[in-house]
Amino acid sequence: MSDEIARPYMEPKDITATAKSQASLQQQLWEVTQTPWKSGILPSADKLTRARANLPPSLANEGMGFEATKQHILNDIVPAFNGSSISPNYYGFVTGGVTPAALFADHLVSSYDQNVQVHLPEHSISTDVESNALGLLVDLLHLERADWHNGTFTTGGSASNILGLACGREYVLRIAAGKSGLDEQSVAEYGLFEAMQALGISGIQVLSTLPHSSLVKAAGVLGIGRANVKAVCQANSPLLFDLEKLELELARSEKASIVAVSCGEVNTGRFATADIDEMRELRRLCDKYGAWLHVDGAFGIFNRVLDDSPEFATIKKGVEGMELADSIAGDAHKFLNVPYDCGFFLCRHPDEANKVFQNANAAYLTGNRDGSPSIPSPLNIGVENSRRFRALPVYASLVAYGRTGYQAMLQKQIRLARMISGWLFDHSEYNVLPEATSKEELMDQTFMIVLFSAKQDRLNRSLASKINETSKMFVSGTSWQGRQACRIAISNWRVNENKDFELVTSVLRSVVEG
Ligand SMILES: *Cc1c(COP(=O)(O)O)cnc(C)c1O
């Protein structure tokens, strides 16, 4: 063992041997993950206890070697994993799975371990591939490359929301300075306090409706403050904008504002904006008051992948006009079905992120020196400098399945969600939420999340745990308008509408029948 790690570098024959043993390990892992998930979706208590008991209490002086470690991990730790990504019946959070193409690519990402930070076109193709993958993603979302082929891959929706609010924070203060004829202000350059003081404003506010918790977290991280994320919703509908209320907030002279659209609300899967007209109005108001328009589209933005068939016409209105935004946050590890962790940030202003995230005065990080690089170095666009090549699984999956592959995947997920919604609507013991007046309306508005509760309070209180105890499927418990509720979020490529409908309804039936 000590030999194994003491050598400073590997001989070519060692590399081949390692690659071979990795290949056979990968083959085994491949088989594990490609066979239908047969065990319970959550590991048994026994397996968890056993795994915990086998974790070393402290670092040993002598390592146990690669072979023994492999056995330990495969025999003790892996059995205590859950099947959240591998089983199509794990409906917690919005989880996604991993497509075969993405899994293949992800193995290569680890094996070759490219660091995608500086664009060095003579050193590696990786930055080109990342930029290409971003372009393919922009195509998938029916956005114009001329406007939107900017941005970066991130660790997920939360990181992308941080980038969106950081760019917004930078932009709104620059606009405010321009409007008042003051010197340009930059939070990244001079600091938040100095910029605010120079502008004579008391803060930045984020105006939204049912924002995801990570957007509020982003406000906390960025010195905007969680308390300055404000609801500007209609009195009887927490997800819809009250445009009058919004304008009153935007007009406050002591605040600079960012408007954040919940393009896919995490409990209901519904959309904050009604159609293109509403997005045009949001754009107009943001331009009038110098605000930034950010879209949190973690999973919802993928609604734009759907074709124009009448079946999806209602929900597609909820993603109309997203091209009018300044920035879009999205998740690839959800709907795109690539491994954790992978999100993306798209921005219509190509230089904005660089204003915030640049590595100033680091000559050794500048990439190619002759003229401006065709591909900006990722380390000047996002939080990290050294970065995983997380774009490769996205690239692989988009190249492998194309637009129609992803359309088909999403259609199956929506159809299953609608079949379950309709069944729950008709069931005497369940409510589907938010309450719909007709089954037809409910079906039309259902994207890939089903929110529901049991009518009987007693059952409702333990509903999620009763469902999850079956270990046949998994739902997230949540609350809706002060009452407990469950959500079924369907985002795995392995969905099979009829088979999964049978399974879900048989579990839900058995739970009410006790
Ligand atoms: C999941 C989600 C996020 C956070 O994404 P992570 O990838 O978990 O960081 C943000 N916004 C919405 C709407 C989400 O659904």
Side-chain angles (χ1 to χ4, degrees):
M1 175 58 200
S2 43
D3 248 21
E4 230 176 83
I5 53 171
R7 269 174 299 164
Y9 62 88
M10 282 186 168
E11 302 289 342
K13 69 172 173 23
D14 298 330
I15 294 179
T16 320
T18 307
K20 274 198 183 133
S21 78
Q22 281 201 1
S24 83
L25 178 62
Q26 284 180 8
Q27 185 61 35
Q28 287 170 32
L29 293 176
W30 177 264
E31 279 156 22
V32 169
T33 52
Q34 294 315 296
T35 35
W37 187 253
K38 296 253 170 48
S39 16
I41 289 181
L42 298 185
S44 64
D46 282 0
K47 286 177 177 162
L48 284 166
T49 306
R50 196 180 114 91
R52 255 175 218 121
N54 279 301
L55 300 177
S58 61
L59 178 67
N61 274 334
E62 292 289 320
M64 64 165 113
F66 179 40
E67 263 318 307
T69 302
K70 209 162 89 183
Q71 292 313 318
H72 160 60
I73 291 177
L74 289 173
N75 299 333
D76 299 330
I77 295 184
V78 172
F81 287 166
N82 63 43
S84 62
S85 174
I86 298 176
S87 162
N89 304 118
Y90 183 93
Y91 302 115
F93 309 97
V94 178
T95 304
V98 178
T99 67
L103 181 59
F104 165 77
D106 202 60
H107 284 151
L108 294 180
V109 171
S110 293
S111 304
Y112 286 87
D113 202 21
Q114 304 289 288
N115 183 358
V116 194
Q117 56 164 342
V118 180
H119 179 53
L120 293 165
E122 279 95 48
H123 300 194
S124 172
I125 195 69
S126 57
T127 41
D128 295 75
V129 174
E130 176 161 333
S131 173
N132 191 282
L134 204 63
L136 301 177
L137 194 52
V138 167
D139 295 345
L140 182 73
L141 298 174
H142 292 285
L143 295 168
E144 289 296 330
R145 284 201 187 205
D147 297 331
W148 284 98
H149 193 179
N150 306 299
T152 191
F153 285 96
T154 67
T155 51
S158 304
S160 301
N161 278 331
I162 290 178
L163 265 59
L165 296 195
C167 288
R169 186 184 66 174
E170 195 69 9
Y171 173 89
V172 295
L173 296 188
R174 192 170 66 249
I175 297 294
K179 278 191 171 171
S180 321
L182 295 167
D183 290 345
E184 181 167 323
Q185 288 303 321
S186 160
V187 175
E189 194 60 39
Y190 304 114
L192 193 54
F193 296 121
E194 286 80 351
M196 294 286 172
Q197 209 153 34
L199 291 169
I201 61 176
S202 67
I204 299 176
Q205 56 183 2
V206 178
L207 307 171
S208 190
T209 63
L210 291 183
H212 188 267
S213 58
S214 65
L215 195 92
V216 183
K217 174 170 161 176
V221 169
L222 291 165
I224 292 172
R226 291 187 288 268
N228 289 313
V229 180
K230 295 186 189 154
V232 282
C233 60
Q234 297 175 12
N236 55 358
S237 172
L239 183 56
L240 302 180
F241 280 99
D242 178 331
L243 293 171
E244 274 174 33
K245 211 188 265 179
L246 175 67
E247 182 157 13
L248 282 176
E249 287 294 338
L250 287 170
R252 289 171 63 168
S253 59
E254 79 286 13
K255 298 281 181 196
S257 302
I258 297 169
V259 175
V261 176
S262 299
C263 180
E265 189 278 318
V266 78
N267 277 302
T268 57
R270 303 286 172 92
F271 297 88
T273 51
D275 52 23
I276 181 93
D277 294 336
E278 186 166 359
M279 277 303 287
R280 287 198 182 116
E281 183 59 10
L282 290 182
R283 182 71 267 166
R284 188 187 70 79
L285 290 171
C286 287
D287 288 342
K288 181 171 172 192
Y289 296 102
W292 179 268
L293 185 54
H294 174 69
V295 169
D296 179 2
F299 63 88
I301 196 71
F302 290 103
N303 179 341
R304 291 176 69 96
V305 174
L306 295 167
D307 62 27
D308 287 328
S309 72
E311 188 180 357
F312 307 115
T314 304
I315 50 171
K316 276 199 76 178
K317 291 207 159 293
V319 285
E320 275 179 11
M322 294 305 141
E323 65 279 1
L324 302 174
D326 295 300
S327 57
I328 299 175
D331 251 330
H333 52 222
K334 290 177 179 169
F335 170 71
L336 276 191
N337 278 250
V338 300
Y340 291 109
D341 35 28
C342 187
F344 57 90
F345 172 69
L346 303 175
C347 187
R348 207 153 50 83
H349 308 255
D351 299 327
E352 205 62 49
N354 184 270
K355 291 195 162 71
V356 182
F357 296 100
Q358 64 187 260
N359 282 262
N361 308 318
Y364 78 109
L365 296 173
T366 43
N368 58 345
R369 277 144 223 275
D370 40 352
S372 65
S374 53
I375 294 175
S377 289
L379 86 175
N380 290 323
I381 305 180
V383 174
E384 301 92 0
N385 277 9
S386 296
R387 295 165 71 247
R388 183 174 174 81
F389 192 10
R390 59 174 65 87
L392 189 64
V394 172
Y395 174 84
S397 217
L398 288 173
V399 167
Y401 310 115
R403 191 185 295 286
T404 55
Y406 274 103
Q407 275 173 351
M409 207 186 283
L410 185 55
Q411 284 172 6
K412 285 195 298 185
Q413 294 166 358
I414 296 172
R415 287 183 187 138
L416 175 60
R418 289 180 174 184
M419 285 158 78
I420 298 170
S421 292
W423 184 87
L424 287 163
F425 186 87
D426 289 337
H427 200 287
S428 57
E429 299 295 325
Y430 287 113
N431 292 317
V432 201
L433 305 164
E435 278 185 46
T437 46
S438 76
K439 190 163 162 185
E440 198 179 25
E441 178 203 316
L442 173 68
M443 298 293 224
D444 274 355
Q445 294 196 340
T446 300
F447 183 42
M448 31 60 80
I449 294 181
V450 182
L451 182 69
F452 66 101
S453 60
K455 286 187 180 159
Q456 304 278 350
D457 277 334
R458 239 187 78 212
L459 174 60
N460 198 45
R461 274 193 292 274
S462 57
L463 185 59
S465 46
K466 283 224 162 77
I467 293 170
N468 295 339
E469 270 162 24
T470 67
S471 214
K472 290 183 180 152
M473 61 184 268
F474 184 93
V475 298
S476 295
T478 183
S479 82
W480 185 252
Q481 296 178 331
R483 201 164 173 271
Q484 277 161 314
C486 295
R487 20 188 312 285
I488 291 180
I490 303 165
S491 57
N492 199 295
W493 67 277
R494 290 171 206 258
V495 159
N496 175 320
E497 292 127 274
N498 294 325
K499 203 165 141 242
D500 296 332
F501 176 73
E502 285 310 315
L503 183 136
V504 168
T505 51
S506 84
V507 169
L508 294 180
R509 202 180 289 124
S510 73
V511 165
V512 276
E513 284 163 11

